Amino acid sequence: MISKETVNTIVAEWLKDKDYFLTDLTISTDNRIVVEIDHEEGVWIEDCVALSRFIEDHFDRDEEDFELEVGSAGIGQPFKVHQQYVIHEGDDVEVLTTGSQKLIGTLAEVSNDGITIVTLEKVKHEGEKRPRLEEVEHPLTFAEIKWTKLYIDFK
């Protein structure tokens, strides 16, 4: 069986000096290898093909039978690594907290410990008749986040 460490080392070698980064790497018991990469400006199919060939060049198919899939993290998929938060700072995201609260807003800040989401909410202040729409900050630690993904609005 092909080890995850071996494939990870090969992928890291290909990623060196590139703006791409690894988001996920899985290897099943029947040697199905799935590699997901991401980039600030999106992933090009030519680069997926180049990485796939680079990985294949490091294995002998006569010795190891394997299936290889190289692709992008996917626009509607939850973030898997910190770098995805960093490249989407300032973008609209959807967050589900571990407390089952769903927030849709701007990813305003990313730190090593968590994020801050800014949402638009109706807030009623004391002495006012009607609530008004205001920006509300929601600081969250990564431990409080079940998933985060880019918010896509089709309106």
Side-chain angles (χ1 to χ4, degrees):
M1 186 172 146
I2 296 172
S3 77
K4 190 172 185 176
E5 294 78 26
T6 301
V7 177
N8 197 31
T9 301
I10 294 166
V11 171
E13 184 181 336
W14 186 85
L15 291 173
K16 189 178 175 186
D17 301 325
K18 291 181 178 66
D19 291 331
Y20 282 100
F21 56 93
L22 182 66
T23 59
D24 198 19
L25 169 62
T26 57
I27 302 177
S28 66
T29 54
D30 60 346
N31 275 349
R32 182 172 188 269
I33 304 166
V34 179
V35 179
E36 289 182 4
I37 57 174
D38 207 349
H39 186 281
E40 185 173 351
E41 297 173 8
V43 176
W44 297 93
I45 188 71
E46 295 84 4
D47 291 325
C48 290
V49 170
L51 176 54
S52 180
R53 288 184 180 144
F54 188 80
I55 295 168
E56 285 188 16
D57 287 346
H58 285 78
F59 293 105
D60 184 351
R61 287 232 182 233
D62 293 333
E63 291 180 23
E64 290 282 358
D65 184 33
F66 63 92
E67 178 184 347
L68 176 62
E69 178 183 326
V70 176
S72 68
I75 196 162
Q77 299 299 314
F79 296 170
K80 295 178 182 175
V81 297
H82 187 264
Q83 185 65 21
Q84 289 177 296
Y85 286 92
V86 172
I87 66 172
H88 290 293
E89 193 169 353
D91 293 338
D92 288 338
V93 294
E94 183 176 358
V95 177
L96 182 64
T97 68
T98 54
S100 298
Q101 180 184 17
K102 190 179 274 189
L103 300 169
I104 296 173
T106 302
L107 179 54
E109 186 179 334
V110 178
S111 72
N112 289 333
D113 302 320
I115 61 174
T116 300
I117 302 294
V118 176
T119 60
L120 283 175
E121 299 177 19
K122 288 184 179 180
V123 178
K124 187 171 191 249
H125 294 280
E126 191 175 322
E128 294 182 358
K129 290 184 177 182
R130 296 187 179 161
R132 56 184 147 141
L133 209 53
E134 292 183 9
E135 289 186 346
V136 178
E137 288 189 356
H138 299 272
L140 299 166
T141 65
F142 287 116
E144 296 173 302
I145 299 171
K146 191 169 187 175
W147 54 254
T148 302
K149 54 187 170 182
L150 207 53
Y151 180 69
I152 302 167
D153 188 6
F154 293 102
K155 292 180 184 179

